[in-house]
Amino acid sequence: MKRIIWLSGVILVAVLLLFGINLGFQHSENSSTSAKGTGNKKLTIYNWGDYIDPSLIKEFQKETGYKVDYETFDSNEAMFTKIQQGGTHYDLAVPSDYMIQKMKSANLLVPLDHSKLTGLKNYDKQFMNQSFDPGNKYSIPYFWGTLGIVYNDKYIKPGEIKTWNDLWRPKYKKSIMLIDSSRDIMGMALASSGQSVNTKSIPELAAAKGKLDTLMPNVKAIVADEIKMYMAQNEAPLAVDYSGDASEMIAENKHLHYIVPSDGGNLWFDNIVMPKTVTNKRAAYAFLNFMSEPKHAEQNAEYVGYATPNKEAVKLLPRSIKNNKAWYPSKKTLSHLEVYKDLGPSWVGTYNDYFLEFKMTSR
């Protein structure tokens, strides 16, 4: 799931939008999604930072005549609060799986009219009809990915790491960087013992925390966004992080590799939804259809570095990407993974408490 805003990306988006919306784009005369003849020519999108190729926004504006206002957030919780407050009329937003479930419960989403979606056939069925949105009533997939292990072949031999449990080997003392995320690290410990990453069992959570405590001698640091910089600079042999972040690290350091552990873990989704704050449904559907086109989804996937759920777009990707099992795991590997569920504030607090106790042992 997209967790970070790269400043350069945000600046680039802002600059392109600033110039793109003032270049006098002509409305498409023949397009059914053209803004011509409609009263509202603005589309307001709320997304993670640097999570779309800016040139696609520019192309969408030129093709349809709609003006795009693109705002960013850095956490699902911040996005939820902003939409719940209703101060800004967002037409589209890109929450993660468990947050979609929470937004539905809070009555913050508008059901999608599938008859107005022209590109649904392009999506891989295995990424549709997920538990957080049965029948894709409220969302369509945008990107997906996994939680896994990054290793540096200067220190770790290929094939040496295959499961979460391998991280507990004494030989990896002070060698591992963990992403600072309670749900992910608690989930890693749960999966390593064959438990669900969505458990609501206190004994299972307590056991997972206890197992994490035994991992602490191997932990070099628990960090957030800077984990990518450290790994790219050969600061540690191993890291637990998201597939998208791993792709950015690997682009900076040829010695880095990413694996999805065979003993389970998290499969995450970021989907596009239409919040209750929507004021321009016509433009929103136009954008959803535009981004569902294979050539646009492929271009976006290459820019962002995350896996696209658009099966027709995958066909257009370079072989080095689409045939890489780290980014596009086999169905067998995916079958061992779970999507996070919205556990509610009480259980989220419990996960956070156990993780905080674990972090305190590192001091």
Side-chain angles (χ1 to χ4, degrees):
M1 137 187 347
K2 191 67 179 176
R3 315 278 179 157
I4 181 170
I5 297 179
W6 285 105
L7 182 58
S8 59
V10 175
I11 292 173
L12 180 59
V13 170
V15 170
L16 286 175
L17 290 181
L18 176 62
F19 285 95
I21 61 177
N22 287 293
L23 289 177
F25 290 148
Q26 297 298 312
H27 299 166
S28 173
E29 297 292 341
N30 299 317
S31 172
S32 61
T33 59
S34 171
K36 187 171 184 178
T38 65
N40 189 351
K41 297 181 180 180
K42 185 173 75 171
L43 174 68
T44 305
I45 300 174
Y46 203 23
N47 198 358
W48 301 85
D50 200 23
Y51 210 29
I52 191 171
D53 185 340
S55 66
L56 285 172
I57 294 179
K58 185 176 179 181
E59 183 177 344
F60 172 76
Q61 292 180 134
K62 183 176 181 180
E63 182 178 304
T64 65
Y66 289 113
K67 168 189 172 183
V68 175
D69 281 354
Y70 188 89
E71 295 189 24
T72 63
F73 56 85
D74 58 7
S75 74
N76 278 291
E77 287 68 30
M79 177 275 305
F80 178 89
T81 300
K82 190 78 175 290
I83 289 178
Q84 188 177 45
Q85 290 173 344
T88 303
H89 294 286
Y90 297 111
D91 298 302
L92 294 171
V94 188
S96 302
D97 35 53
Y98 74 94
M99 185 53 66
I100 293 172
Q101 190 176 6
K102 182 175 180 178
M103 293 176 78
K104 285 194 301 180
S105 298
N107 196 33
L108 295 180
L109 300 180
V110 173
L112 298 177
D113 183 346
H114 284 202
S115 69
K116 296 180 180 178
L117 296 172
T118 61
L120 287 179
K121 62 183 182 297
N122 296 329
Y123 292 96
D124 193 321
K125 290 182 180 179
Q126 68 177 322
F127 303 128
M128 302 289 280
N129 195 35
Q130 294 293 316
S131 59
F132 58 87
D133 185 19
N136 292 93
K137 184 177 180 180
Y138 295 94
S139 71
I140 62 173
Y142 184 64
F143 281 119
W144 65 275
T146 56
L147 181 74
I149 301 170
V150 181
Y151 71 90
N152 190 317
D153 65 22
K154 294 177 69 174
Y155 314 107
I156 307 292
K157 295 179 181 179
E160 188 174 323
I161 298 288
K162 295 180 179 178
T163 71
W164 293 119
N165 281 302
D166 289 333
L167 298 177
W168 271 261
R169 294 177 183 174
K171 64 187 292 186
Y172 299 138
K173 186 176 181 179
K174 294 296 180 183
S175 297
I176 305 169
M177 287 194 172
L178 300 179
I179 193 70
D180 190 3
S181 166
S182 61
R183 193 74 187 269
D184 292 312
I185 301 307
M186 287 295 294
M188 173 193 75
L190 288 163
S192 72
S193 299
Q195 308 296 342
S196 170
V197 299
N198 295 304
T199 187
K200 290 185 176 181
S201 164
I202 292 296
E204 289 179 0
L205 287 169
K209 189 267 178 182
K211 187 170 183 177
L212 280 178
D213 288 341
T214 66
L215 179 67
M216 188 55 76
N218 290 359
V219 176
K220 182 179 179 69
I222 301 173
V223 292
D225 298 338
E226 61 270 27
I227 194 171
K228 295 193 290 188
M229 176 187 69
Y230 288 140
M231 291 302 293
Q233 295 177 356
N234 299 308
E235 293 290 333
L238 294 159
V240 174
D241 204 350
Y242 319 109
S243 54
D245 288 351
S247 70
E248 295 180 32
M249 297 180 205
I250 292 170
E252 297 294 324
N253 187 334
K254 65 180 181 180
H255 293 289
L256 298 180
H257 309 271
Y258 178 79
I259 67 161
V260 181
S262 60
D263 42 356
N266 174 232
L267 169 67
W268 59 259
F269 291 89
D270 287 337
N271 283 19
I272 309 181
V273 300
M274 194 177 296
K276 278 288 184 89
T277 56
V278 61
T279 59
N280 195 344
K281 290 185 178 181
R282 184 184 178 94
Y285 282 113
F287 187 80
L288 291 174
N289 292 332
F290 177 86
M291 294 303 297
S292 295
E293 292 182 25
K295 63 179 181 179
H296 297 148
E298 185 274 337
Q299 179 179 332
N300 205 31
E302 282 210 67
Y303 174 86
V304 174
Y306 280 59
T308 176
N310 190 312
K311 67 180 188 297
E312 299 304 320
V314 172
K315 296 176 182 178
L316 303 177
L317 287 168
R319 291 183 180 179
S320 60
I321 297 178
K322 65 183 178 184
N323 294 336
N324 191 323
K325 296 304 180 183
W327 316 130
Y328 291 89
S330 66
K331 289 186 177 181
K332 181 179 179 180
T333 299
L334 292 176
S335 69
H336 298 300
L337 306 180
E338 291 181 272
V339 177
Y340 289 143
K341 296 179 181 178
D342 175 26
L343 302 178
S346 178
W347 281 105
V348 169
T350 300
Y351 275 70
N352 290 343
D353 289 345
Y354 277 122
F355 183 59
L356 180 59
E357 290 178 19
F358 162 65
K359 288 202 297 182
M360 291 177 66
T361 64
S362 66
R363 297 177 180 178

